[in-house]
Structure formats: structure tokens, C-alpha cells
Amino acid sequence: MFSSGSIKLARIFGIRVGVNASWFLVLFFFIFILSSSFRNVLRDSSDAVAYATAVASALLFFASIILHELGHALAARREGIETLGIELWFFGGIARTARDSDTPGQEFRIAAAGPLVTLAVVLLCLAAGAATVGWHDFWSAVRFN
């Protein structure tokens, strides 16, 4: 899954985070789709605002994938398993470890860590949205009313 042509983005907690070239196709596709959607929603704004919002949304989406994979990677590290790196690619992301887990319990804790981080991100976003505009207006926006 890790290619030698991977582009390094960062090192987080000592874990290399990189992207495969295929990731750029998905990034640009997301920006293209989102910019037209934001152009429709933000009718009173300029195209530049819609485009900037699309870029920020796409990057935040990929940041959430990195956080998810960091959940797996840090859980593996806590279990004594070295994490070799995280790579974003066409279908999402993957955290690569030096070896497999020793027990089913270890495997479960490592596997569950990613979705738990994703749940925390969702709850944080819900709280931030509700705190920004109020729960009633936020819930109305979520339901597209």
C-alpha cells in the first residue's frame, strides 16, 4: 500500500504522513463538486468565496481521515506495535504497522480507535455548529430546512 513515490506531508507524533499521487485526483474532484454546491448555496457570495469554502471543506475532510488513521496508529503504539506511517490514497487512508497484533484484544483496541476518533470529531463539529448559530438554527441547517 505504501509506495516509494509517496509525498511526505508531515510528521505527527513521530509518524510520517504521506499521500499517494492518486490522492490528488480525489482532492481535485472533491473541490470541483463542492465548489458548484457552495456556489448554489452561497448565491450572494462571489465565486472565490465558494471556491475557498470548497477547498477548506475538502482539506478538513482529509484532515478527519488523518485523525482517524492517527487513532489506529497511536493505539497500535500504545499496544507496543511500531507504526511505520500513514498514507492517504484514492480510497481513503491507511496506517501501516511493523507487525500484526498478538491477540484478538489488541486487534480490537487498534481497530476501534479509528472510529472512536471519528465519533469524537463528529461530536466536536456538532458542538461547534450548535455553539456558533444556536441548536435550533443548526439543526434546521442540518436538515436542509
Side-chain angles (χ1 to χ4, degrees):
M1 205 53 56
F2 283 89
S3 63
S4 59
S6 174
I7 301 166
K8 180 182 172 183
L9 288 181
R11 193 167 277 281
I12 304 172
F13 300 118
I15 300 168
R16 182 190 186 278
V17 178
V19 294
N20 182 285
S22 66
W23 174 78
F24 290 102
L25 294 172
V26 177
L27 175 66
F28 295 130
F29 177 74
F30 271 41
I31 291 170
F32 175 75
I33 295 298
L34 289 173
S35 62
S36 65
S37 296
F38 284 126
R39 213 174 293 119
N40 292 335
V41 172
L42 303 171
R43 290 182 204 109
D44 298 335
S45 300
S46 69
D47 284 348
V49 170
Y51 181 75
T53 305
V55 169
S57 298
L59 292 175
L60 286 170
F61 171 71
F62 284 109
S64 73
I65 293 174
I66 291 171
L67 289 173
H68 175 97
E69 295 303 327
L70 273 172
H72 293 304
L74 294 175
R77 181 185 284 173
R78 184 176 180 167
E79 296 290 336
I81 301 172
E82 179 188 3
T83 301
L84 302 175
I86 293 171
E87 185 168 344
L88 298 179
W89 59 298
F90 189 82
F91 292 111
I94 188 165
R96 194 173 109 191
T97 56
R99 62 178 178 83
D100 289 335
S101 56
D102 296 326
T103 66
Q106 267 187 337
E107 181 72 25
F108 176 78
R109 289 186 293 276
I110 294 168
L116 287 174
V117 170
T118 299
L119 178 61
V121 168
V122 168
L123 294 175
L124 182 66
C125 289
L126 288 172
T132 303
V133 296
W135 182 251
H136 183 272
D137 289 341
F138 177 72
W139 186 244
S140 182
V142 167
R143 293 181 317 192
F144 296 108
N145 286 342

